[in-house]
Amino acid sequence: MNQTEFQAQMKEYACLTEEKLKELVPEQPQLTEAVLYQAMRYSLLAGGKRVRPVMLLAFCSLCGGNAQAAVPFACALEMVHTYSLIHDDLPCMDDDDLRRGRPSSHKAFGEANALLAGDALLTKAFEVATDEKQAAAVGSSRALQAASILAQAAGDHGMVAGQVLDLLNENKDIRVEELADIDAKKTGAMIRAAAHMGCALAGASQEQTDAADRYARALGLAFQIQDDILDVAGSTEALGKPTGSDAQNEKGTYVTLLGLTKARQVAADLTRQAEQALSVFGEQAEFLRMLADSLAARRH
Amino acid sequence: MNQTEFQAQMKEYACLTEEKLKELVPEQPQLTEAVLYQAMRYSLLAGGKRVRPVMLLAFCSLCGGNAQAAVPFACALEMVHTYSLIHDDLPCMDDDDLRRGRPSSHKAFGEANALLAGDALLTKAFEVATDEKQAAAVGSSRALQAASILAQAAGDHGMVAGQVLDLLNENKDIRVEELADIDAKKTGAMIRAAAHMGCALAGASQEQTDAADRYARALGLAFQIQDDILDVAGSTEALGKPTGSDAQNEKGTYVTLLGLTKARQVAADLTRQAEQALSVFGEQAEFLRMLADSLAARRH
């Protein structure tokens, strides 16, 4: 697979997700509560990279599943990711005014609408993942399993726990192991969910699922380290949010704890680990191998 | 069924829910993020009336289902209800300092923890409703259906839409039909979900489900009108929150729109309608008939 083919495949998965998201959360100008849908779409269709949906669809396809039937579940995953960004930006949380180069949701729609748009997206994710028609295409049991993986990754053992830990550690000295533990929950859980949901929807074997998990674990951490690197080494323009915001919030990051050079080296090692985990899939896994590479090389 | 038997049955359903909630959201003092579980339990185990779980279990039982196997789904419903109270009390929403006679969640734990406890409870609800073991007891298909009903009722066509409409109508003159429409979404949707989930988990017939829906629709509105009546006619002590808060927020209510006498009459008519809807179930529905009566007569 060359770069052009890789980019084409990326685009196909991302477009499938994009189109379905628009369909699942339509504009509703005729409704009095139209602002709710505006706020949901504002964040959901803000040009995110769709890394999690792409990974879900790629693993589903790699394990012999029907990627087309998995698209609604990829959308559910992206809805949960988007809700977490909206709530994370709120004044009582990180109080961020910018997200993806635009005013964050509460800046654009007010705090109450941002809170409710987040709540609605989280709920919609499970509406989509438990939908009767969606389920019929993959089977009730696999649909239920995918929805269950999503809920577990997003909840009190996963992403929400990570947020709580993150808040507890603000303005505190932190060791790199603690930081990795927080990130494993805060961002890693949802990236692993992408891999697990893809496998579950395809009815993958335990061996395949374990390999996918190793890939996603390594990639999730590499992704977070890369985020920290970009926060100091990137530009506001490319990132769509102010750089140096972590330092400003006095948050411990991989860069402050390890230094830029060592952080880059760890991220590169983890990316290699992720690629090695794919060996069980052979040639077929070339797309996911190139995905790991492209995330390691990303500029935003 | 006499009052003593009714009370015993109420207590049994409520206790089944209470015990399972404690098990599903245990204290986690060993975890760094222990505060998350404290905040979740603080609101979840605050002595709510458990009206929705009771209704779910009663309909499940009435339609020949296994109420014991439905308890986790009743808990999921109560978790969604509880999350909505926590987020509704936040400063950017109703900014309420008291809930059930105690400081509201954000007063007790701070805004960020309250937000996250709400997020965690909403997510946990779907973790419970899609759990593999839970599903095995009722069948994947029925479990998926129950989870789907819950998500639809809670989301952008249901409860969240109701919240948005409620905010849009603050400090505005409102007609009684508009108020009823908002309440049908804001509180009615979750009460109907209780009935529908109970029916779905029991594999009820369409006729049974339609009757349950008529019951829940009428009861949901009666319940809301009764809330408004208690807000002006109740006491802070019995209610656990300040009375007159609606008037203070300049919210249109059934009492301000219809007057106290007419509001009481409409609530009584709706309660009778709810009871009549149960006729298809015959004698067996005595408990749900008495439940409607007890809600109409409630003092808090």
Side-chain angles (χ1 to χ4, degrees), chain B:
Chain B
M1 182 175 263
N2 61 33
Q3 267 298 324
T4 312
E5 289 164 334
F6 169 72
Q7 291 297 343
Q9 183 63 75
M10 270 298 276
K11 200 170 167 185
E12 193 195 327
Y13 285 145
C15 283
L16 279 170
T17 305
E18 201 77 22
E19 289 311 306
K20 191 69 183 176
L21 284 173
K22 284 181 191 159
E23 185 193 316
L24 290 168
V25 185
E27 294 189 76
Q28 302 271 21
Q30 79 289 1
L31 295 180
T32 315
E33 64 270 29
V35 65
L36 174 62
Y37 296 91
Q38 283 164 21
M40 290 167 82
R41 287 170 65 93
Y42 178 83
S43 297
L44 197 56
L45 307 173
K49 294 182 288 290
R50 313 300 184 203
V51 173
R52 292 157 197 79
V54 165
M55 202 181 289
L56 185 156
L57 297 175
F59 270 112
C60 179
S61 183
L62 181 61
C63 298
N66 175 355
Q68 192 72 48
V71 170
F73 296 89
C75 291
L77 183 65
E78 191 70 1
M79 287 176 190
V80 174
H81 173 58
T82 305
Y83 119 81
S84 78
L85 300 179
I86 296 175
H87 281 192
D88 202 27
D89 285 342
L90 284 171
C92 71
M93 298 285 293
D94 284 356
D95 196 12
D96 274 322
D97 290 354
L98 272 183
R99 168 70 66 182
R100 288 172 180 157
R102 300 190 305 167
S104 49
S105 181
H106 63 96
K107 281 285 157 189
F109 298 95
E111 260 187 83
N113 284 325
L115 173 72
L116 291 168
D119 289 346
L121 283 169
L122 175 56
T123 312
K124 191 87 185 173
F126 292 104
E127 188 182 321
V128 170
T130 59
D131 182 85
E132 206 179 349
K133 252 196 291 182
Q134 254 64 282
V138 296
S140 284
S141 168
R142 286 184 188 178
L144 203 63
Q145 210 187 330
S148 173
I149 292 164
L150 181 57
Q152 287 181 53
D156 59 289
H157 297 298
M159 189 169 60
V160 174
Q163 294 278 20
V164 174
L165 289 170
D166 201 32
L167 287 170
L168 287 171
N169 279 294
E170 256 176 21
N171 308 317
K172 268 192 197 161
D173 284 333
I174 189 171
R175 284 174 303 116
V176 74
E177 294 78 15
E178 292 171 314
L179 184 59
D181 178 54
I182 295 173
D183 286 336
K185 296 191 168 78
K186 194 180 163 188
T187 53
M190 288 288 287
I191 291 176
R192 286 174 62 208
H196 278 268
M197 288 171 77
C199 289
L201 290 165
S205 69
Q206 193 59 52
E207 189 194 10
Q208 290 176 317
T209 306
D210 289 346
D213 186 67
R214 284 198 303 280
Y215 171 86
R217 259 182 209 273
L219 199 70
L221 186 50
F223 191 81
Q224 192 56 48
I225 296 175
Q226 187 65 11
D227 247 15
D228 288 351
I229 293 170
L230 289 169
D231 190 68
V232 294
S235 73
T236 300
E237 201 185 338
L239 223 57
K241 61 180 179 184
T243 53
S245 66
D246 291 336
Q248 215 175 312
N249 295 340
E250 294 186 47
K251 278 191 179 176
T253 76
Y254 296 100
V255 176
T256 57
L257 293 173
L258 299 174
L260 193 54
T261 310
K262 175 81 178 165
R264 282 196 167 122
Q265 189 192 315
V266 173
D269 285 349
L270 285 164
T271 302
R272 199 158 44 241
Q273 274 179 41
E275 290 172 9
Q276 280 163 357
L278 296 172
S279 62
V280 37
F281 298 105
E283 288 283 306
Q284 298 294 317
E286 190 58 19
F287 172 77
L288 281 159
R289 221 168 270 127
M290 292 181 80
L291 179 65
D293 272 344
S294 84
L295 291 176
R298 78 198 158 95
R299 303 294 301 276
H300 59 273

Side-chain angles (χ1 to χ4, degrees), chain A:
Chain A
M1 182 176 262
N2 62 32
Q3 267 298 324
T4 312
E5 290 165 333
F6 168 73
Q7 291 298 343
Q9 182 64 76
M10 268 300 275
K11 201 170 169 185
E12 192 196 329
Y13 285 146
C15 283
L16 279 170
T17 305
E18 202 76 22
E19 289 312 306
K20 191 70 184 177
L21 284 173
K22 283 180 191 158
E23 183 193 318
L24 290 168
V25 184
E27 294 188 75
Q28 303 272 19
Q30 79 289 2
L31 294 180
T32 314
E33 64 269 30
V35 64
L36 173 63
Y37 295 91
Q38 283 166 19
M40 289 168 82
R41 288 170 65 95
Y42 178 84
S43 297
L44 196 58
L45 306 173
K49 293 181 290 289
R50 314 298 186 204
V51 173
R52 292 157 196 79
V54 166
M55 202 181 290
L56 185 156
L57 297 175
F59 270 111
C60 179
S61 183
L62 182 60
C63 297
N66 174 355
Q68 193 72 48
V71 170
F73 296 89
C75 290
L77 184 64
E78 191 70 2
M79 287 176 189
V80 174
H81 174 58
T82 305
Y83 119 82
S84 78
L85 300 180
I86 296 175
H87 281 192
D88 202 25
D89 285 341
L90 284 170
C92 70
M93 299 284 293
D94 285 356
D95 196 11
D96 274 323
D97 290 355
L98 273 182
R99 168 71 63 183
R100 290 172 178 157
R102 301 190 304 169
S104 49
S105 181
H106 63 97
K107 281 285 156 188
F109 297 94
E111 260 187 82
N113 285 326
L115 173 72
L116 291 168
D119 289 346
L121 283 170
L122 175 56
T123 312
K124 192 87 187 174
F126 292 103
E127 188 182 322
V128 170
T130 60
D131 182 87
E132 206 178 350
K133 252 196 289 179
Q134 255 64 284
V138 296
S140 284
S141 167
R142 285 184 189 178
L144 204 63
Q145 212 187 328
S148 172
I149 292 165
L150 180 57
Q152 286 180 54
D156 59 289
H157 297 297
M159 190 169 60
V160 174
Q163 294 278 20
V164 174
L165 289 170
D166 201 33
L167 287 170
L168 288 170
N169 279 296
E170 253 174 24
N171 308 316
K172 267 192 196 163
D173 284 333
I174 189 172
R175 285 174 302 118
V176 72
E177 295 78 16
E178 291 170 315
L179 184 58
D181 178 55
I182 295 173
D183 286 336
K185 295 191 168 79
K186 194 180 162 187
T187 54
M190 288 287 287
I191 291 175
R192 287 175 62 209
H196 279 268
M197 288 171 77
C199 289
L201 291 165
S205 69
Q206 191 60 51
E207 189 195 9
Q208 289 176 317
T209 307
D210 289 345
D213 186 68
R214 284 197 301 280
Y215 170 86
R217 261 183 207 274
L219 199 70
L221 187 50
F223 192 80
Q224 192 56 47
I225 296 175
Q226 187 67 8
D227 247 15
D228 289 351
I229 293 170
L230 289 168
D231 190 68
V232 294
S235 73
T236 300
E237 202 184 337
L239 223 55
K241 60 180 179 185
T243 52
S245 66
D246 291 336
Q248 214 174 314
N249 295 340
E250 295 187 45
K251 277 192 180 175
T253 75
Y254 296 100
V255 176
T256 58
L257 292 173
L258 299 173
L260 192 54
T261 310
K262 175 81 178 166
R264 282 195 166 124
Q265 190 193 314
V266 173
D269 286 350
L270 284 164
T271 302
R272 202 159 40 243
Q273 273 179 42
E275 290 172 9
Q276 282 164 355
L278 296 172
S279 62
V280 35
F281 297 105
E283 287 284 306
Q284 298 295 315
E286 190 58 21
F287 173 77
L288 282 159
R289 220 169 271 126
M290 291 181 81
L291 179 65
D293 271 344
S294 83
L295 291 176
R298 76 197 160 95
R299 303 295 301 273
H300 59 275

